[in-house]
Every structure is written in C-alpha cells, then in structure tokens.
Amino acid sequence: MVRRNVFNLDPPDHTRLRRLMAPGFGARPVAALVRTVHRVVGELVDAMAGTDTTNATNGMGATKARNTTKATDGTDGTDGTDGMGASAAAGGEVDVVRALALPLPILVVADLLGFPAEDRALFRRWSDEMLAGRDGAETRRSGMKFVAHITERIRERRSREGDDLLSHLLRAEDGGQITRLELISSVFQLLFAGDETTVNLIGIGVLELLRHPEQLALLRARPELIDSAVEEVLRYNGPVGHSRPLYAMTDVDFGGTVIARGDIIVPVLLAANRDPAVFPRPDVFAIDRSPNRHLGFGHGIHFCLGAALARVQARAAIGTLVRRFPRMALAVDPGELEWTRELFLRGVRRLPLRLHG
C-alpha cells in the first residue's frame, strides 16, 4: 500500500508524482522554513543545556515537556523523552539523538504537511518499530497504524484545506492528478524515510566530528565550513546506505562481470562515495573537501526530493551544537554505540554526550 511513491516508481508515474511534490521542496518554501528550523534548533538546544526549564513551546505547537496524544488506534503516544531526557543540567549527559535529532525533522515535516506537531511521538514510535525488524508481524502492525493515522489526518484535512503541502496534494487528487493510494504512500514516505534520513544525518554528523577532533577544531575555527562539513558527512558515512533494488533488463558486462538479465542490482551509495577514482584520499574525513560530488542523496531522477530541507536542518543542528558547546565530548566509547540494523536507513540509535567536557 505504501509503495506508490516517487522512491519506488519509474516514469511516467514517477515524473507525475515528483512534479506534484516538488513545490513543497523548492527554493522558496525551503527558504521560508530556515527561520523556523533555526528557532526550533535553538529552543531544543536550550532545553538540552538546561538553560530553559520552562514548559515552553517551539512555535509550532509542541511542548518541550512530556507530550501525550491519542493515536487513531486508541493507544497513547509520548514524546519519548524518558531515560536521559532533554536536559543535561542534572546528570551532565544528554542523548543528542533523542533531545535534538529526533524531534527536529518530524516537527519540520509536520509543519510542511500541516500535521499537528504532537503527532511526532506516534510517528517516531512506529518508525522505530518498523526499522527494528525484530518481528515481521509487529512491523506490519506498526505500518498499518502509521497508515491509518495518515488516512485519518487526510480525512480531517478535507474539511479545512489550507496552504500546506497536504492540502496541495488533496487539490491534485480532486483534479485526477494523484490517486488516494498514491497520496497516502507519498505522505508516508515523507514522514518515514524523510524523517529518518535527517535524524541519522545529524547523529552521524556529530559523531564523526567528535571522532575526528582535528576536523571539529577546524569547524570551530572556520564556522563557514558547516555546509562543506555536512556534505563530507554525507560522503564519508552517510545515512542512506544503498538505493532501491533494480533489475537488469538485459545482460550487462560491468567491469568484466556479467550481470544477467533479471538479476537484482543494489547500488551501494556508501561504497560509491569511497571511490578512489573520484575522491582523493577517500577514507579520510575532511570537512573542507572540494569538489565533493558524492551520491549521499542519490543521483538522477531519484535524487532525494527533500535534500535541501535535510541539509538546512543538519547545518543548523550541527552548527549550533559546535558553537554552543566548545567542550562537548562523547560520554561512551564509540564501539558501544548501537546502530540501526538496516543498511538502507542507517544511524546511531543513541548518542550520549557530555556537553561541558
């Protein structure tokens, strides 16, 4: 049910859907979100540092304190701030994934779609359950809950359309440009894959800077390198391991290896981004690398539609952390960090930091 989207389709359906989705991710709407992104990052980082102990809102209707909302399946959802919580004031440690990387993108995407910000807790829980992959039945149940909630939000929006992306897609449905199945699948892709990619980009970015202190020092000395630093994270250890599976339409000789007609091909982006024919010293993490023609967001017609928005969020989150906490350090050995089981959408599940050394 959730495969009728731009990631899984080829032309002409891919072209039609991408054209409908593109207005929400163009230069103008992304630029309009920049101020919102920086404001939300600032407030989340304030909460991490313990400098804001009030139950303040982030400007999009979500509180920093524990949120509870009712899912369409009747279960309660929370924002998941148990454990280390959002503030490092008490114990001196904070999980930057839970406190910053997790809430930021779902708030931004929810704002883009016009979804209530409190939905983020439900979407995050269902995403985590689907990615864990411990039980096929559990994964399907979580996916069904996710889709049911999206379907209910779409039904609600019908009565009060606005200027958000979801309303734009609903008007396209009225005009016969997109089916209801494609609409649900496209919204699911934005909330699931788009959110997860940005969460992992922020987490991996902070981790790699801490694992390469000379590069972290360079970024502090030259903060204008933040754009280049994010691009190097995407190349060196990006959050998307491979693209979707492809099928050979005919026999292909690829570098002396014959790929037979009908064979499945999975392009591994992480391997391509370490190609020594393209990148000098490919195994070196260098935030001032130029040029940097990586494939972290894919290539061609399937280049990530939300790449610009993911970049804005990663630059704001990582840049703010580096500026605000000159003594931040990992609170655990890197070898103790838990990574997602999936190679496709990959990242650290927790990243405990000592913000003040």
Side-chain angles (χ1 to χ4, degrees):
M1 182 176 185
V2 293
R3 294 185 62 81
R4 294 286 301 177
N5 54 56
V6 293
F7 180 77
N8 292 299
L9 296 174
D10 288 322
D13 289 332
H14 172 274
T15 307
R16 171 174 54 85
L17 291 181
R18 190 176 179 101
R19 188 177 294 122
L20 291 174
M21 302 286 287
F25 297 93
R28 183 173 296 176
V30 170
L33 281 169
V34 168
R35 182 175 297 179
T36 296
V37 169
H38 280 274
R39 183 179 71 245
V40 174
V41 167
E43 292 170 350
L44 291 171
V45 170
D46 282 347
M48 286 171 55
T51 57
D52 182 1
T53 58
T54 63
N55 187 21
T57 65
N58 62 20
M60 290 192 288
T63 63
K64 291 176 185 172
R66 186 177 184 271
N67 253 325
T68 301
T69 185
K70 200 74 171 178
T72 55
D73 66 345
T75 60
D76 288 328
T78 64
D79 66 359
T81 55
D82 57 312
M84 299 180 73
S87 173
E93 294 184 9
V94 64
D95 176 6
V96 76
V97 171
R98 186 174 297 278
L100 176 60
L102 281 176
L104 174 62
I106 199 65
L107 285 169
V108 173
V109 174
D111 188 58
L112 184 68
L113 288 165
F115 278 20
E118 62 267 20
D119 279 358
R120 75 191 193 278
L122 298 169
F123 295 145
R124 169 50 42 192
R125 188 180 70 199
W126 294 328
S127 294
D128 284 346
E129 290 171 356
M130 292 174 67
L131 284 170
R134 291 184 293 268
D135 183 302
E138 180 184 354
T139 299
R140 286 190 295 273
R141 283 194 297 271
S142 298
M144 290 173 65
K145 292 176 184 177
F146 209 137
V147 170
H149 196 78
I150 290 172
T151 304
E152 176 62 17
R153 290 302 187 208
I154 290 172
R155 186 193 64 78
E156 293 172 355
R157 186 57 46 79
R158 268 295 181 194
S159 62
R160 49 179 180 83
E161 293 182 11
D163 296 328
D164 52 82
L165 180 57
L166 179 56
S167 296
H168 167 74
L169 293 175
L170 283 170
R171 288 188 284 271
E173 183 187 30
D174 291 339
Q177 299 168 278
I178 187 172
T179 68
R180 176 54 60 97
L181 184 62
E182 290 168 340
L183 174 56
I184 293 171
S185 182
S186 296
V187 172
F188 175 85
Q189 181 201 15
L190 281 178
L191 289 165
F192 177 65
D195 168 50
E196 194 71 23
T197 299
T198 306
V199 170
N200 293 335
L201 174 57
I202 293 170
I204 294 173
V206 174
L207 173 61
E208 291 303 341
L209 285 168
L210 292 171
R211 291 176 61 189
H212 297 85
E214 76 289 348
Q215 296 300 304
L216 178 56
L218 177 60
L219 182 57
R220 287 198 172 110
R222 297 180 57 193
E224 71 274 11
L225 287 175
I226 184 60
D227 292 10
S228 177
V230 170
E231 299 308 306
E232 180 66 346
V233 172
L234 287 161
R235 182 202 72 84
Y236 183 80
N237 196 9
V240 182
H242 61 80
S243 73
R244 69 187 180 116
L246 304 171
Y247 297 85
M249 301 295 291
T250 186
D251 291 353
V252 178
D253 187 322
F254 188 79
T257 298
V258 175
I259 301 172
R261 180 178 181 272
D263 279 356
I264 299 175
I265 306 161
V266 181
V268 181
L269 305 181
L270 293 172
N273 286 337
R274 297 289 186 100
D275 185 350
V278 178
F279 304 100
R281 302 186 304 153
D283 296 328
V284 173
F285 180 67
I287 66 168
D288 57 351
R289 183 181 295 273
S290 180
N292 194 348
R293 299 187 300 274
H294 64 78
L295 301 179
F297 283 123
H299 181 69
I301 65 170
H302 286 285
F303 181 80
C304 178
L305 188 61
L309 189 55
R311 283 177 164 125
V312 165
Q313 294 175 84
R315 292 165 185 166
I318 297 171
T320 300
L321 285 174
V322 169
R323 184 179 69 255
R324 289 280 300 273
F325 306 112
R327 296 172 58 196
M328 71 175 178
L330 282 171
V332 298
D333 186 279
E336 298 176 15
L337 295 172
E338 178 188 358
W339 288 74
T340 55
R341 298 183 182 185
E342 273 284 333
L343 178 61
F344 171 47
L345 297 175
R346 56 189 299 277
V348 288
R349 304 316 294 165
R350 296 174 67 252
L351 188 62
L353 301 184
R354 292 190 302 273
L355 296 182
H356 306 292

